[in-house]
Amino acid sequence: MSLELTHNTQALDSLKPFILYSCYRPSDLRAAKEYAEFVLSERTVVPNLLEEVGNDSFEEEAAEVRKSDYEFCRVPEAPSDIRSYLVREQEKRKDPRMACYLWFDSLFECGNLNKAIAVSPTEYNLYLNTDTNSAKQSQWFYFAVTNTRQNVTVKFNIMNQTKHPHFYKKGMKPLVFSRKDNENIYAAWTYHVDNLTVTKTVTQTLKFQERYEISLNGEEQSSHSLHRPYCYSVSFTHTFKHDNDKVYFAYNRPYSFTRLNKFLRRIEQQLGSKQPDSWKLPETTLDSHGILYKREILCRSLAGMPLYGISVGNSKGGWERKRYVVITARVHASETPGSYKVQGL
């Protein structure tokens, strides 16, 4: 196994656990807004290679994952803080020890991975960021790995899921997306993981777990406590099919802000909207084909992301004196199936 994994035998002379990856962390509210604009901007979009495929939903899904696969050559266009972080990541990968390890990344839309600890070239302990302004909620993960080796099986340990992962006991599995499978056979998200286990983990052993908040006044706060005596460790293995592939792992099928905007733009264009495509959509009201449609911004996140309210009714009588049915998509980051269900409505 070592021979298959290693480009440089010197890298294996003194193997011991070390921090392989640390995520980009906005330093203040300004940096958080810059980060949001960076991951949503067209500068990070990789062209969709499946434009000839007729299945719209499949095409969107492939394009969305490719959107996260920005190249380091685009670093000069990033905000200064992100540019410095990416340059450091480039330099880190030149370390001889890195030759036999996977390379991790979560700097893309919906991505969540705090730290990756290399136990060995075939095992990694992973720590998640908690939800923004949350003291203890960590469940969603979405990260990518590169520097893969064909037919090598790797074990991933998600060390700090705080909600009971009872869905795993009912057959749920993490999702996997292979770039090379997608390009060669048009494969989308799959459940190709094995040896799934769930165990309780004592909080005090989470040496690398940290929680950072950005408060309303822009100041950063940190805490080393999850305020609960234990959390859960979720472990699984995956056997890579290709050399030098880029493979994504997610708690559930991602539903991004970009995907929502594309869906809303498609509806609005069918109703006659002439607004240009952009993730910075203004509020709008449309009346067409007997349908009254309104999209308004209810509020914004700390990073400036809009929370949309969509109203749909018939044109007769406008909005006055009508009964409403209120539907919400989800509350927590991991509840992406709720977004798909609302889109289906």
Side-chain angles (χ1 to χ4, degrees), residues 29-255:
L29 195 56
R30 174 198 58 80
K33 292 179 179 179
E34 288 182 346
Y35 169 75
E37 292 201 14
F38 176 70
V39 298
L40 290 169
S41 71
E42 294 300 314
R43 290 173 296 183
T44 63
V45 175
V46 174
N48 180 14
L49 302 181
L50 292 180
E51 291 180 352
E52 72 280 4
V53 177
N55 187 327
D56 289 341
S57 61
F58 182 88
E59 183 178 316
E60 286 181 9
E61 187 169 281
E64 211 169 298
V65 173
R66 287 196 176 88
K67 182 175 186 292
S68 67
D69 191 22
Y70 59 85
E71 302 295 336
F72 279 117
C73 64
R74 304 183 186 190
V75 169
E77 298 184 19
S80 59
D81 289 354
I82 299 177
R83 183 166 62 248
S84 297
Y85 169 82
L86 293 176
V87 169
R88 289 196 301 272
E89 286 297 301
Q90 283 181 304
E91 292 301 315
K92 187 188 298 183
R93 293 180 182 184
K94 296 177 183 179
D95 187 324
R97 294 186 304 170
M98 294 289 286
C100 62
Y101 291 96
L102 294 176
W103 299 345
F104 287 79
D105 177 28
S106 63
L107 186 60
F108 48 79
E109 190 175 9
C110 299
N112 184 29
L113 178 63
N114 185 340
K115 285 183 174 64
I117 313 299
V119 178
S120 74
T122 57
E123 183 173 2
Y124 301 87
N125 291 342
L126 309 180
Y127 296 85
L128 310 180
N129 289 305
T130 55
D131 291 351
T132 302
N133 281 346
S134 167
K136 54 188 177 181
Q137 174 70 29
S138 61
Q139 186 171 15
W140 174 258
F141 61 86
Y142 184 20
F143 60 89
V145 298
T146 52
N147 200 36
T148 63
R149 294 291 168 261
Q150 186 177 24
N151 296 326
V152 170
T153 300
V154 173
K155 182 179 182 181
F156 299 97
N157 305 308
I158 309 292
M159 302 297 291
N160 63 323
Q161 284 203 333
T162 53
K163 291 186 68 176
H164 192 291
H166 57 275
F167 291 117
Y168 292 130
K169 296 183 179 180
K170 298 182 179 180
M172 176 178 164
K173 289 184 176 182
L175 284 159
V176 183
F177 185 104
S178 162
R179 285 290 307 274
K180 288 195 173 181
D181 273 357
N182 179 255
E183 292 168 359
N184 296 336
I185 60 174
Y186 303 127
W189 289 98
T190 67
Y191 295 94
H192 291 165
V193 301
D194 299 299
N195 304 311
L196 182 65
T197 60
V198 179
T199 57
K200 276 188 178 181
T201 304
V202 179
T203 302
Q204 283 75 9
T205 66
L206 300 183
K207 181 178 179 181
F208 300 100
Q209 169 62 22
E210 297 176 319
R211 174 175 63 86
Y212 282 78
E213 296 180 353
I214 298 177
S215 61
L216 289 173
N217 60 9
E219 296 177 355
E220 185 179 345
Q221 303 170 352
S222 68
S223 171
H224 295 272
S225 173
L226 288 174
H227 305 296
R228 61 170 64 194
Y230 62 86
C231 55
Y232 295 92
S233 173
V234 178
S235 301
F236 58 90
T237 61
H238 175 75
T239 303
F240 295 103
K241 297 181 180 179
H242 309 282
D243 288 332
N244 299 313
D245 195 3
K246 185 159 190 174
V247 181
Y248 297 80
F249 296 88
Y251 173 80
N252 222 322
R253 191 179 299 267
Y255 191 100

Side-chain angles (χ1 to χ4, degrees), residues 283-325:
E283 296 182 326
T284 186
T285 299
L286 300 168
D287 189 348
S288 177
H289 308 295
I291 298 174
L292 192 56
Y293 171 96
K294 179 170 66 175
R295 177 174 43 75
E296 54 191 327
I297 298 175
L298 302 180
C299 60
R300 293 183 181 273
S301 70
L302 294 177
M305 306 293 292
L307 174 63
Y308 294 135
I310 309 297
S311 301
V312 180
N314 58 53
S315 298
K316 187 176 180 180
W319 299 110
E320 300 298 326
R321 302 180 68 179
K322 289 184 177 179
R323 293 183 177 180
Y324 285 79
V325 176

